Amino acid sequence: DKNDSLQLANYLRLWDKGELDLSISYIVVGKDRELLEISRYRIFVSEMKGKTMQKIKAHMRINAQYIESDNIGSRAVMNEIRMKFGEDFVLMQMIDDYMLFDTKGNNLDRRLEQICHDRKDVKLLTSIPGIAITTAAELMSMIVDSVPMPHSPPSITAAIFPSKYCMTRSAIFGLSS
């Protein structure tokens, strides 16, 4: 609206005069946007899956429900818990939630692999031992390009950081413009 526009114009004038420090924003579009959205949602799903597992374990401890296996997150153990403690409605609901997050995570991983299969930057990161395609894709979703600063020589670039968690590709790969 008009008030927001005036306030934004005021901020930009102060920034141009050097009286206000503003960081430049970057709006991700196209294929990078899908990568960013999928990666952020994957992180959310992974966090929810972990929290749900913590709740399952706490619920089982409180109710003295024990299972022999250490791999409680496996589908086989989840089925064993269902058979052994099926009368516990809350536990069954938590297991359903956990399995849903597990399925969503697997679906998101497959989609990340599909959209990143021909990306050179992701392939470069996966060449590092211990970095799989999903980790590489998440890293690349947090990295945005450097751009030339206006009114400066072409050799000087400025990083555009959409959030405090982002880095530039130039900083990681040693690229120059």
Side-chain angles (χ1 to χ4, degrees), residues 78-96:
M78 287 292 180
N79 287 333
E80 182 181 341
I81 292 170
R82 283 184 194 278
M83 296 300 292
K84 194 170 181 181
F85 308 112
E87 73 285 347
D88 186 336
F89 179 79
V90 173
L91 180 60
M92 296 305 108
Q93 293 301 300
M94 287 190 280
I95 288 174
D96 288 345

Side-chain angles (χ1 to χ4, degrees), residues 41-75:
Y41 190 60
R42 183 180 179 278
I43 290 168
F44 167 76
V45 168
S46 180
E47 288 171 355
M48 293 305 296
K49 181 180 170 186
K51 287 177 183 178
T52 304
M53 178 54 71
Q54 289 174 348
K55 289 178 183 180
I56 290 170
K57 288 178 178 180
H59 181 88
M60 290 178 71
R61 273 192 306 273
I62 289 168
N63 293 293
Q65 298 167 325
Y66 301 103
I67 235 34
E68 294 294 319
S69 177
D70 291 333
N71 189 11
I72 193 170
S74 74
R75 290 192 182 268

Side-chain angles (χ1 to χ4, degrees), residues 38 100 102-112 114:
I38 290 173
L100 175 66
D102 186 54
T103 300
K104 283 185 179 210
N106 292 337
N107 292 340
L108 291 165
D109 287 348
R110 278 193 297 279
R111 182 64 186 147
L112 281 174
Q114 288 173 350

Side-chain angles (χ1 to χ4, degrees), residues 24 26 40 142 144 160-167:
I24 300 170
Y26 178 72
R40 284 183 178 171
M142 296 178 200
V144 294
I160 300 176
F161 295 92
S163 76
K164 65 182 179 178
Y165 303 106
C166 293
M167 303 166 279

